[in-house]
């Protein structure tokens, strides 16, 4: 029997929680060091020519010609002699194509233009298991693969999104390195630019999370009671003001919110130009979502009473972990569509072994190497996720006045 698992007689429950936390943290660190050496970093796989063609709308024959003529980035040659590109090189190809055909520049480089407002999307629900982080990570990857500049902000103290990007919250995120650093009310407050991190996934920057983000929930009531909340913005304005410091650097900001309706979530809702509410189609989850919406309505009323206004382009409900063969889920989905109409996204994120397998390796479907899961399973899950993300991208583009 493991010595650490031997029960301690008459141990105080609070002490037991602390001891168990230390044991688990040490075990996770040991496993991480076993899987990833200290100098190891997550990397994104190469993209094959057919994938690059689909992403950029540049024909494979043109890519082959450019490579032969030495124009644009030089692709790597794999063992089978196939050409392969990094995502950074894909973006170079986009820039090259836009320069070659200025009249079609928007097709190759779809980033926001002057006058387009920064799109800030909150992925929200306070029911655990509604796939907020899975949705956030897949959407971030999808947008980056499409050529957009993305900032992902992990507002959840559990920091699952940070872990997806290779940052272990207990080991890789230190004091004053979360979004709390940019929101806090004292002299240790930092410019948001100082806490933004580059990730291995070209086009995506991250502000990681850990348990420290909970400090904002503790400090805000003190600031309100002490009358210091109005300094540098009301409590619900601080996140939007902080994001404004790096507004010119990104096209889309994704906010992975905590499973609660606290000050951070309210700040995220206020900052957002779009809100995606994830919902698992089970009656208990829908009941929880009902409470979430009612409470959110009360909090929005607080914001309006303070003289502020929400300025969102859309609110949509996303069905997640969907099994279309489950009749109880079919009834729940039909009920939601009947109640909310087009506010429920038509595409749904299906429940899939491919997503679960990718998640265990802290990856998304867009990172899976061939052979990890059955090809048909991956294809079905990928088509589902692509359809969801494409619809969200269409909503973003509508916010910019594009078809």
């Amino acid at each position: 029997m493991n010595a650490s698992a031997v029960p301690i007689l008459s141990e105080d429950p609070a002490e037991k929680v602390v001891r168990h936390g230390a044991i688990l943290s040490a075990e996770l660190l040991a496993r991480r060091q076993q899987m990833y050496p200290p100098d190891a970093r997550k990397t994104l796989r190469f993209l094959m020519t057919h994938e690059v063609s689909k992403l950029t709308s540049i024909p494979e024959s043109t890519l082959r010609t450019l490579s032969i003529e030495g124009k644009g980035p030089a692709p790597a040659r794999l063992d089978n002699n196939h050409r392969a590109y990094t995502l950074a090189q894909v973006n170079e190809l986009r820039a090259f194509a836009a320069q070659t055909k200025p009249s079609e520049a928007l097709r190759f480089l779809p980033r926001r233009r002057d006058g387009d407002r920064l799109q800030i999307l909150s992925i929200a629900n306070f029911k655990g298991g509604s796939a907020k982080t899975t949705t956030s990570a897949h959407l971030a990857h999808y947008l980056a693969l499409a050529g957009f500049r993305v900032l992902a902000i992990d507002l959840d103290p559990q920091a699952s999104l940070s872990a997806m990007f290779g940052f272990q919250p207990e080991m890789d995120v230190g004091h004053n390195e979360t979004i709390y650093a940019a929101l806090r009310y004292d002299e240790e407050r930092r410019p948001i630019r100082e806490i933004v991190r580059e990730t291995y996934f070209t086009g995506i920057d991250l502000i990681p999370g850990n348990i420290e983000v909970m400090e904002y929930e503790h400090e805000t009531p003190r600031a309100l009671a002490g009358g210091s909340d109005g300094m540098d913005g009301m409590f619900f304005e601080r996140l939007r003001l902080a994001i404004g410091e790096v507004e010119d650097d990104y096209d889309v900001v994704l906010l992975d919110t905590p499973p609660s309706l606290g000050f951070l979530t309210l700040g995220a809702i206020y900052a957002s130009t779009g809100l995606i509410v994830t919902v698992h189609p089970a009656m208990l989850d829908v009941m929880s979502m009902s409470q979430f919406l009612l409470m959110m309505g009360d909090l929005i009323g607080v914001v309006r009473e303070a003289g502020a206004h929400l300025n969102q382009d859309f609110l949509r409900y996303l069905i997640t972990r969907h099994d279309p063969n489950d009749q109880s889920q079919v009834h729940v989905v039909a009920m939601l569509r009947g109640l909310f109409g087009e506010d429920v996204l038509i595409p749904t994120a299906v429940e899939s072994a491919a997503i679960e397998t990718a998640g265990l390796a802290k990856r998304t479907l867009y990172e899976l190497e061939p052979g990890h899961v059955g090809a048909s399973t991956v294809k079905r899950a990928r088509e589902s996720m692509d359809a969801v993300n494409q619809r969200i991208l269409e909503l973003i583009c509508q916010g910019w006045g594009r078809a």
Side-chain angles (χ1 to χ4, degrees):
M1 187 175 187
N2 191 319
S4 63
V6 176
I8 299 175
L9 296 177
S10 303
E11 183 179 13
D12 180 79
E15 293 176 353
K16 182 184 288 188
V17 167
V18 173
R19 182 170 62 84
H20 285 182
I23 291 170
L24 184 57
S25 181
E27 177 66 16
L28 291 173
L29 176 60
R31 293 191 176 210
R32 181 185 185 230
Q33 290 176 337
Q34 186 178 26
M35 293 174 62
Y36 305 105
D39 58 347
R41 294 291 182 272
K42 282 194 75 173
T43 57
L44 179 61
R45 65 181 177 84
F46 281 106
L47 299 168
M48 306 306 294
T49 304
H50 71 276
E51 294 178 288
V52 175
S53 177
K54 184 176 179 180
L55 288 171
T56 62
S57 72
I58 300 172
E60 288 188 60
S61 58
T62 302
L63 292 173
R64 191 161 46 250
T65 301
L66 289 174
S67 175
I68 293 171
E69 295 178 353
K71 296 178 181 178
R77 288 282 189 170
L78 304 184
D79 293 341
N80 56 11
N81 206 34
H82 289 178
R83 295 178 178 85
Y85 296 82
T86 66
L87 182 53
Q89 288 178 315
V90 172
N91 288 335
E92 289 179 45
L93 280 169
R94 289 186 168 108
F96 179 82
Q99 187 176 24
T100 304
K101 297 182 177 180
S103 62
E104 299 182 59
L106 188 62
R107 178 163 68 93
F108 296 117
L109 285 175
R111 296 174 178 174
R112 68 186 182 110
R113 301 297 196 257
D114 290 343
D116 293 342
R117 73 167 173 162
L118 177 68
Q119 293 292 305
I120 305 173
L121 272 59
S122 283
I123 316 299
N125 201 333
F126 68 16
K127 179 70 171 65
S130 66
K132 289 190 301 292
T133 298
T134 299
T135 300
S136 300
H138 279 84
L139 180 57
H141 287 184
Y142 181 88
L143 292 172
L145 288 168
F148 294 95
R149 302 165 300 166
V150 179
L151 173 62
I153 304 180
D154 196 343
L155 300 175
D156 189 343
Q158 297 178 72
S160 299
L161 184 65
S162 303
M164 290 286 286
F165 280 97
F167 297 104
Q168 193 67 27
E170 300 93 341
M171 280 75 84
D172 299 325
V173 186
H175 169 69
N176 221 27
E177 292 183 347
T178 69
I179 191 61
Y180 173 63
L183 304 179
R184 59 192 305 159
Y185 299 92
D186 59 20
E187 65 280 356
E188 289 192 60
R189 187 177 179 187
R190 302 175 64 186
I192 195 172
R193 195 177 298 279
E194 292 183 5
I195 55 174
V196 171
R197 302 190 185 194
E198 290 186 2
T199 72
Y200 68 96
F201 209 108
T202 300
I204 303 177
D205 288 344
L206 173 75
I207 296 178
N210 66 13
I211 195 67
E212 182 187 71
V213 300
M214 282 298 295
E215 291 298 316
Y216 189 66
E217 304 294 340
H218 302 150
E219 290 297 323
T220 296
R222 292 205 247 318
L224 288 168
S228 61
D229 175 55
M231 299 169 60
D232 301 313
M234 296 284 288
F235 72 89
F236 55 80
E237 296 177 305
R238 296 173 84 85
L239 180 58
R240 182 64 183 91
L241 292 171
I243 292 172
E245 297 174 19
V246 292
E247 183 166 350
D248 293 340
D249 299 341
Y250 303 102
D251 306 305
V252 180
V253 175
L254 297 179
L255 305 175
D256 188 23
T257 64
S260 63
L261 259 180
F263 296 113
L264 270 174
T265 302
L266 182 56
I269 292 170
Y270 177 78
S272 298
T273 61
L275 183 63
I276 302 293
V277 177
T278 55
V279 55
H280 175 54
M283 194 53 68
L284 283 176
D285 295 74
V286 172
M287 290 166 64
S288 175
M289 187 182 78
S290 172
Q291 294 302 309
F292 172 78
L293 295 175
L294 291 171
M295 291 173 65
M296 189 167 70
D298 290 340
L299 291 172
I300 290 172
V302 171
V303 171
R304 287 179 174 156
E305 287 175 11
H309 299 281
L310 278 72
N311 190 15
Q312 295 177 343
D313 293 327
F314 62 86
L315 160 69
R316 293 293 186 275
Y317 301 97
L318 169 63
I319 306 298
T320 60
R321 297 171 51 219
H322 182 210
D323 180 0
N325 296 316
D326 184 327
Q327 286 304 307
S328 64
Q329 290 196 19
V330 170
H331 291 310
V332 171
V333 172
M335 178 189 73
L336 292 173
R337 295 198 190 284
L339 292 171
F340 302 135
E342 64 179 17
D343 289 332
V344 181
L345 292 178
I346 295 297
T348 66
V350 299
E351 189 164 31
S352 171
I355 295 175
E356 292 180 11
T357 300
L360 288 173
K362 298 292 187 290
R363 297 180 182 276
T364 69
L365 294 171
Y366 301 113
E367 300 175 279
L368 276 185
E369 300 279 0
H372 280 76
V373 189
S376 61
T377 302
V378 173
K379 181 174 183 290
R380 176 172 172 266
R382 176 72 182 264
E383 287 175 348
S384 165
M385 201 61 74
D386 281 349
V388 167
N389 291 329
Q390 176 60 33
R391 181 62 191 124
I392 295 173
L393 176 54
E394 289 170 1
L395 293 169
I396 290 171
C397 289
Q398 287 174 17
W400 289 332
R402 303 179 192 174

